Coordinates of all heavy atoms in Angstrom, one line a residue:
N94 N 11.9 74.6 109.2 CA 13.2 74.2 109.7 C 14.1 73.8 108.5 O 15.3 74.0 108.6 CB 13.0 73.0 110.6 CG 12.3 73.4 111.9 OD1 12.4 74.6 112.3 ND2 11.7 72.4 112.6
T95 N 13.5 73.2 107.5 CA 14.3 72.7 106.3 C 14.9 74.0 105.6 O 16.0 74.0 105.2 CB 13.5 71.9 105.4 OG1 13.0 70.7 106.0 CG2 14.3 71.5 104.2
I96 N 14.0 75.0 105.4 CA 14.4 76.2 104.7 C 15.5 76.9 105.5 O 16.6 77.3 104.9 CB 13.2 77.1 104.5 CG1 12.3 76.4 103.5 CG2 13.7 78.5 103.9 CD1 11.0 77.2 103.3
S97 N 15.3 77.1 106.8 CA 16.2 77.8 107.6 C 17.6 77.1 107.7 O 18.6 77.7 107.9 CB 15.7 78.1 109.0 OG 15.4 76.9 109.7
Q98 N 17.5 75.8 107.6 CA 18.7 75.0 107.7 C 19.7 75.3 106.7 O 20.9 75.3 106.9 CB 18.4 73.5 107.7 CG 19.6 72.6 107.7 CD 19.2 71.1 107.6 OE1 18.0 70.8 107.6 NE2 20.2 70.2 107.6
Y99 N 19.2 75.7 105.5 CA 20.1 76.0 104.3 C 20.3 77.5 104.2 O 21.3 77.9 103.6 CB 19.5 75.4 103.1 CG 19.4 73.9 103.0 CD1 18.2 73.2 103.2 CD2 20.6 73.2 102.7 CE1 18.2 71.9 103.2 CE2 20.6 71.8 102.7 CZ 19.4 71.1 102.9 OH 19.4 69.8 102.9
T100 N 19.4 78.3 104.7 CA 19.6 79.8 104.5 C 20.3 80.5 105.7 O 21.0 81.4 105.5 CB 18.3 80.4 104.3 OG1 17.4 80.2 105.5 CG2 17.6 79.9 103.1
D101 N 20.2 79.9 106.9 CA 20.8 80.6 108.1 C 22.3 80.6 108.0 O 23.0 81.5 108.6 CB 20.3 79.9 109.4 CG 18.9 80.2 109.8 OD1 18.3 81.0 109.0 OD2 18.5 79.7 110.8
I102 N 22.9 79.6 107.3 CA 24.3 79.4 107.4 C 25.1 80.7 106.9 O 26.2 81.0 107.4 CB 24.7 78.2 106.5 CG1 26.2 77.9 106.7 CG2 24.3 78.4 105.1 CD1 26.7 76.6 106.0
F103 N 24.5 81.4 105.9 CA 25.2 82.5 105.4 C 25.2 83.7 106.3 O 25.9 84.7 106.1 CB 24.6 83.0 104.0 CG 24.6 81.8 103.0 CD1 23.4 81.2 102.7 CD2 25.7 81.4 102.5 CE1 23.4 80.2 101.7 CE2 25.7 80.4 101.6 CZ 24.6 79.7 101.2
G104 N 24.5 83.6 107.4 CA 24.6 84.7 108.4 C 25.1 84.2 109.8 O 25.1 85.0 110.7
E105 N 25.7 83.0 109.8 CA 26.2 82.4 111.0 C 27.7 82.8 111.2 O 28.5 82.8 110.2 CB 26.1 80.9 110.9 CG 24.7 80.3 111.0 CD 24.1 80.3 112.4 OE1 24.8 80.7 113.3 OE2 22.9 80.0 112.5
E106 N 28.0 83.1 112.4 CA 29.4 83.4 112.7 C 30.3 82.3 112.4 O 31.5 82.5 111.9 CB 29.6 83.8 114.2 CG 28.8 85.1 114.6 CD 27.4 84.8 115.2 OE1 26.8 83.8 114.8 OE2 27.0 85.6 116.0
L107 N 29.9 81.1 112.7 CA 30.8 79.9 112.5 C 31.0 79.6 111.0 O 31.9 78.8 110.7 CB 30.2 78.7 113.2 CG 30.1 78.7 114.7 CD1 29.4 77.5 115.3 CD2 31.5 78.9 115.3
F108 N 30.2 80.2 110.1 CA 30.5 80.1 108.7 C 31.3 81.3 108.2 O 32.2 81.2 107.4 CB 29.1 80.0 107.9 CG 29.3 80.1 106.4 CD1 29.7 79.0 105.7 CD2 29.0 81.3 105.8 CE1 29.8 79.0 104.3 CE2 29.2 81.4 104.4 CZ 29.6 80.2 103.7
I109 N 30.9 82.5 108.7 CA 31.5 83.7 108.2 C 33.0 83.8 108.5 O 33.8 84.1 107.6 CB 30.8 84.9 108.7 CG1 29.4 85.0 108.2 CG2 31.5 86.2 108.4 CD1 28.5 86.1 108.8
V110 N 33.4 83.6 109.8 CA 34.7 83.8 110.2 C 35.7 82.8 109.5 O 36.7 83.3 108.9 CB 34.9 83.7 111.7 CG1 36.3 83.7 112.2 CG2 34.1 84.8 112.4
P111 N 35.4 81.5 109.4 CA 36.3 80.6 108.7 C 36.4 81.0 107.2 O 37.4 80.8 106.6 CB 35.7 79.2 108.9 CG 34.9 79.3 110.2 CD 34.4 80.7 110.2
S112 N 35.2 81.5 106.6 CA 35.2 81.9 105.2 C 36.2 83.0 105.0 O 36.9 83.1 104.0 CB 33.8 82.2 104.8 OG 33.0 81.1 104.9
I113 N 36.2 84.0 105.9 CA 37.1 85.1 105.8 C 38.5 84.6 105.8 O 39.4 85.1 105.1 CB 36.8 86.2 106.9 CG1 35.5 86.8 106.7 CG2 37.9 87.2 106.9 CD1 35.0 87.7 107.8
A114 N 38.8 83.7 106.8 CA 40.2 83.2 106.9 C 40.6 82.4 105.7 O 41.7 82.6 105.2 CB 40.2 82.2 108.1
V115 N 39.7 81.6 105.1 CA 40.1 80.9 103.9 C 40.3 81.8 102.7 O 41.3 81.7 101.9 CB 39.0 79.9 103.5 CG1 39.2 79.3 102.2 CG2 38.9 78.8 104.6
T116 N 39.5 82.8 102.6 CA 39.6 83.8 101.5 C 40.9 84.6 101.6 O 41.6 84.8 100.6 CB 38.4 84.8 101.5 OG1 37.2 84.1 101.4 CG2 38.5 85.8 100.3
Y117 N 41.3 85.0 102.8 CA 42.5 85.6 103.0 C 43.7 84.7 102.7 O 44.7 85.2 102.0 CB 42.7 86.1 104.5 CG 43.9 86.9 104.7 CD1 43.9 88.3 104.5 CD2 45.1 86.3 105.2 CE1 45.1 89.0 104.8 CE2 46.2 87.0 105.4 CZ 46.2 88.4 105.2 OH 47.4 89.1 105.4
A118 N 43.6 83.5 103.1 CA 44.7 82.5 102.8 C 44.9 82.3 101.3 O 46.0 82.3 100.8 CB 44.4 81.2 103.5
I119 N 43.8 82.3 100.6 CA 43.9 82.1 99.1 C 44.5 83.3 98.5 O 45.4 83.2 97.6 CB 42.5 81.9 98.5 CG1 41.9 80.6 99.0 CG2 42.5 82.0 97.0 CD1 40.4 80.3 98.6
G120 N 44.2 84.5 99.0 CA 44.8 85.7 98.5 C 46.2 85.8 98.8 O 47.0 86.3 98.0
A121 N 46.6 85.3 100.0 CA 48.1 85.3 100.3 C 48.9 84.4 99.5 O 50.0 84.7 99.0 CB 48.2 85.0 101.8
I122 N 48.3 83.2 99.3 CA 49.0 82.2 98.5 C 49.1 82.6 97.0 O 50.2 82.4 96.4 CB 48.3 80.8 98.6 CG1 48.3 80.2 100.0 CG2 48.8 79.8 97.6 CD1 47.5 79.0 100.2
D123 N 48.0 83.2 96.5 CA 48.0 83.6 95.1 C 48.6 85.0 94.9 O 48.7 85.5 93.8 CB 46.5 83.6 94.6 CG 46.4 83.7 93.1 OD1 47.2 83.1 92.4 OD2 45.6 84.5 92.7
K124 N 49.0 85.6 96.0 CA 49.6 87.0 96.0 C 48.6 88.0 95.4 O 49.0 88.8 94.6 CB 50.9 87.0 95.3 CG 52.0 86.2 96.0 CD 53.3 86.3 95.3 CE 54.4 85.5 96.1 NZ 55.7 85.5 95.4
N125 N 47.3 87.8 95.7 CA 46.3 88.6 95.2 C 45.9 89.7 96.3 O 45.2 89.4 97.2 CB 45.0 87.8 94.9 CG 43.9 88.6 94.2 OD1 43.8 89.8 94.4 ND2 43.2 87.9 93.4
Q126 N 46.5 90.9 96.1 CA 46.4 91.9 97.1 C 44.9 92.4 97.3 O 44.5 92.6 98.5 CB 47.2 93.1 96.8 CG 47.4 94.1 97.9 CD 48.0 93.5 99.2 OE1 49.1 92.9 99.1 NE2 47.3 93.6 100.3
R127 N 44.2 92.5 96.2 CA 42.8 92.9 96.4 C 42.0 91.9 97.1 O 41.1 92.3 98.0 CB 42.2 93.2 95.0 CG 40.7 93.7 95.1 CD 40.2 94.4 93.9 NE 40.2 93.6 92.7 CZ 39.3 93.8 91.7 NH1 38.4 94.9 91.8 NH2 39.3 93.1 90.6
L128 N 42.2 90.7 96.9 CA 41.5 89.6 97.7 C 41.8 89.7 99.1 O 40.9 89.5 100.0 CB 41.8 88.3 97.1 CG 41.0 87.1 97.6 CD1 39.5 87.3 97.4 CD2 41.4 85.8 97.0
K129 N 43.1 89.9 99.5 CA 43.5 90.0 100.9 C 42.8 91.3 101.5 O 42.3 91.2 102.6 CB 45.0 90.1 101.0 CG 45.7 88.9 100.6 CD 47.2 89.1 100.5 CE 47.8 89.6 101.8 NZ 49.3 89.8 101.7
N130 N 42.8 92.4 100.8 CA 42.2 93.6 101.3 C 40.7 93.4 101.5 O 40.1 93.9 102.5 CB 42.5 94.8 100.4 CG 43.9 95.2 100.3 OD1 44.7 94.9 101.3 ND2 44.3 95.8 99.3
M131 N 40.1 92.7 100.6 CA 38.7 92.5 100.7 C 38.4 91.6 101.9 O 37.4 91.8 102.7 CB 38.1 91.8 99.4 CG 36.6 91.6 99.4 SD 36.1 90.1 100.1 CE 36.7 88.9 98.9
S132 N 39.2 90.6 102.2 CA 39.0 89.8 103.3 C 39.1 90.6 104.6 O 38.3 90.4 105.6 CB 40.1 88.6 103.3 OG 40.0 87.9 102.2
L133 N 40.1 91.4 104.7 CA 40.3 92.3 105.9 C 39.1 93.3 106.1 O 38.7 93.6 107.2 CB 41.6 93.0 105.9 CG 42.9 92.1 105.9 CD1 44.1 93.0 105.8 CD2 42.9 91.3 107.2
A134 N 38.6 93.8 104.9 CA 37.5 94.7 105.0 C 36.2 93.9 105.5 O 35.4 94.5 106.2 CB 37.3 95.3 103.6
T135 N 36.0 92.7 105.0 CA 34.9 91.9 105.4 C 35.0 91.6 106.9 O 33.9 91.5 107.6 CB 34.7 90.6 104.6 OG1 35.9 89.9 104.7 CG2 34.4 90.9 103.2
L136 N 36.2 91.5 107.4 CA 36.4 91.3 108.9 C 35.9 92.5 109.6 O 35.2 92.4 110.7 CB 37.8 91.0 109.2 CG 38.2 90.7 110.6 CD1 37.4 89.5 111.2 CD2 39.7 90.5 110.8
Q137 N 36.2 93.7 109.1 CA 35.8 94.9 109.7 C 34.2 95.0 109.7 O 33.6 95.3 110.7 CB 36.3 96.1 109.0 CG 37.8 96.4 109.3 CD 38.2 97.7 108.7 OE1 37.7 98.2 107.6 NE2 39.2 98.4 109.2
S138 N 33.7 94.7 108.5 CA 32.2 94.7 108.4 C 31.5 93.8 109.3 O 30.5 94.1 110.0 CB 31.8 94.4 106.9 OG 32.3 95.4 106.1

Side-chain angles (χ1 to χ4, degrees):
N94 292 334
T95 300
I96 293 172
S97 63
Q98 179 181 357
Y99 293 103
T100 59
D101 284 359
I102 187 174
F103 302 111
E105 292 281 357
E106 296 94 332
L107 293 178
F108 172 80
I109 293 173
V110 175
S112 296
I113 294 174
V115 170
T116 303
Y117 183 89
I119 293 173
I122 294 172
D123 194 43
K124 296 182 179 180
N125 187 328
Q126 191 59 55
R127 180 158 65 153
L128 187 59
K129 290 170 62 179
N130 291 338
M131 186 272 289
S132 302
L133 295 177
T135 54
L136 181 61
Q137 284 187 334
S138 295

